[in-house]
Amino acid sequence: MGSVAFGEAINEDSGSEKSLKEVSDEEPSIVNTSFITPSANTHHSSDPGFTDSFHDTGSNQPHHKKSDAAQRILFVTTEITDFVKVGGLGDVSSALPRALAAHHDVRVLIPAYREMIHSEYEIVPAGHVPAFAGLPACDIGRITCSDGLILYVLLCPELYDREGTPYGSGASGYGDGQGEGWVDNDIRFARLSRAAADIALGQADLDWQPQLLHLNDWACGLAPAYLHWQGHPVPTVFTIHNLAYQGLFNASRMAVLGVPEDAFHIDGVEYYGELSFMKAGINYASQVTTVSATYAQEITTPKFGCGLDGLLRCKAEQGRLSGIPNGIDDSWDPRTDSHLVQAFSCNDWRGKRANADYARRFFGLNPSQGPLFAVISRLVHQKGLDLTIEAAKAIVHGGGQIVFMGCGERHVEDALRQLSERFPGAISAYIGFDEYQARSLFAGSDFLLMPSRFEPCGLSQMYAQRFGSLPIAHRTGGLADTIEDGVTGFLFDDMQFESYMRAIQRAFAVYKSTDLFNAMRGAAMAGRYHWKQSIVPYSKLYRVALEQLGNETTLACQ
Ligand SMILES: Nc1ncnc2c1ncn2[C@@H]1O[C@H](COP(=O)(O)OP(=O)(O)O[C@H]2O[C@H](CO)[C@@H](O)[C@H](O)[C@H]2O)[C@@H](O)[C@H]1O
């Protein structure tokens, strides 16, 4: 592909066609707060028992006084940023249960990884789950976090006490049983799912029993299925964070996982001859959610549905599929974040500049007056790194610099290393992830490059906006829902180099116009994508799932 020239090709006014919001440093306004997908709300709209008691109380402390509508929720996950994080699921699992805990009794179930066993936290014996099919018996421990959040950790050292990520020895993402995933991932995550089902049924010797399971991604997908096959109608909410990772395993593994033979068909867990954990979760959960309204609609189409779009369309028609956006937690505040070399706020651009200087020094870039672009991402196909690599030369020739931070697919890591060697002082590749430096980079950069092919929600673009770094992103999924084109960032429509370059050119043009650039940064920083906005929709959904009990006539999708 040819490169797109800067200079005369740049339209000075291209970023200003839309009027900017008035911005206030002291009281940031809330933007884009309503994302519940309109096409999938047949159950939600009725919501007979739901009251305003869930509205913002200003507290996210677990011991906040709960309303009568409080529910006991077990949030089941494979990552939590407090201990182990591969990507966005870790952040969500750390923040969402805490936000919900102001209104519900929310506890978390997660495997006891090495990071927990060797942490400073005491693990108190709490329960036990029996062996099942080829799944070993294991103990359950309890960790009480410093803010009171209770984690139940599944103690099974032969499955979980390993060097590596929750999913495998490599770093390329969610390891769905293929590639670099652990060879026993089917057993590892069936064990987690079965433990969740046992806890829900009061069969785990715990002194606590949830009313509802909130399950996350393919690794928890068998939990609703186990409950269904046993004939126990425990309500379940299954959240898809990324449909592309499905947990596909050989059908010969069914017996060892305790999956009944007669469930292996197109309306059960079979996916083109393999066993799909993701399909099990979608098929048997009371409610399915994903993490933005746009992605909830997209996954019902062949383009984004990963072969499950027919099933998801059926769920949407049944009112069992909805989109609830992720948020970001209070720690993402440039005025108070202790990770930053200098705190800053809207219109305090000297403070932001200090973070840029630090980032340039830390990542080995030359001093520069040009724009600093950041890429903070898992390095996987989804994230469109190939487009950014193609655009890099033009960005550097236009006077820009780029820092890449992330790890993932080996060939992408290699390509980034080569790029940084080709453009020393202008491009830096940090292969790995460091929360501290990531925050400095969000704070120091002028623009975040995020040309994702698809993006269920995306957190990085929200972090960037909060820190006054304008995202340049593909108009898809949660990116489309959380970035206002020409106001808080730049969106492009086609996943094509030329289209991406036009958005980058617009960013360069805005950078040249100080007033416009500052107004956009202010608008971006004023957007508050707080988790509090998710409490009401999740609470409604929990209520709907509880009320569905005993009324399961529409579960099957033929
Ligand atoms: N190599 C790395 N190692 C560890 N952390 C890294 C990392 N690279 C980036 N991160 C961090 O992980 C988070 C990225 O979260 P995103 O939501 O943007 O994407 P991700 O694809 O991981 O999440 C998926 O789940 C989330 C949660 O629902 C959805 O928002 C998203 O669309 C979906 O793809 C950020 O906190 C970022 O700083």
Side-chain angles (χ1 to χ4, degrees), residues 76 91 146 162 192 288 382 393 403 405 478 506 534 545:
V76 188
D91 289 359
S146 48
R162 298 178 184 178
L192 176 68
V288 179
Q382 170 193 348
K393 184 177 162 196
V403 174
M405 177 187 277
R506 291 172 62 205
S534 310

Side-chain angles (χ1 to χ4, degrees), residues 157-179:
E158 69 267 38
L159 296 183
Y160 306 125
D161 182 6
R162 298 178 184 178
E163 190 69 45
T165 79
Y167 313 109
S169 53
S172 67
Y174 295 109
D176 56 351
Q178 327 217 311

Side-chain angles (χ1 to χ4, degrees), residues 233-253:
V234 176
T236 49
V237 170
F238 180 71
T239 296
I240 300 168
H241 295 267
N242 197 330
L243 191 61
Y245 300 97
Q246 298 200 353
L248 297 179
F249 299 98
N250 196 292
S252 64
R253 302 289 291 162

Side-chain angles (χ1 to χ4, degrees), residues 85-89 91-92 174 241-242 291 326 376-378 382-383 405-407 432-433 438 442 450 455-461 463:
K85 160 178 168 178
V86 173
L89 176 60
D91 289 359
V92 172
Y174 295 109
H241 295 267
N242 197 330
V291 286
N326 290 333
I376 303 169
S377 174
R378 294 183 299 111
Q382 170 193 348
K383 303 294 183 179
M405 177 187 277
C407 52
F433 185 78
F442 280 119
M450 203 166 170
E455 196 58 76
C457 178
L459 298 171
S460 295
Q461 82 283 3
Y463 298 149

Side-chain angles (χ1 to χ4, degrees), residues 57-67 70 97-107 142-151 208:
T57 64
S59 165
N60 62 357
Q61 293 306 305
H63 299 306
H64 185 266
K65 187 173 177 301
K66 316 272 192 283
S67 80
R98 290 183 158 99
L100 289 165
H103 305 277
H104 301 286
D105 180 358
V106 186
R107 305 184 185 190
R142 190 175 68 200
I143 292 176
T144 305
C145 297
S146 48
D147 62 355
L149 182 70
I150 292 173
L151 310 185
W208 182 84

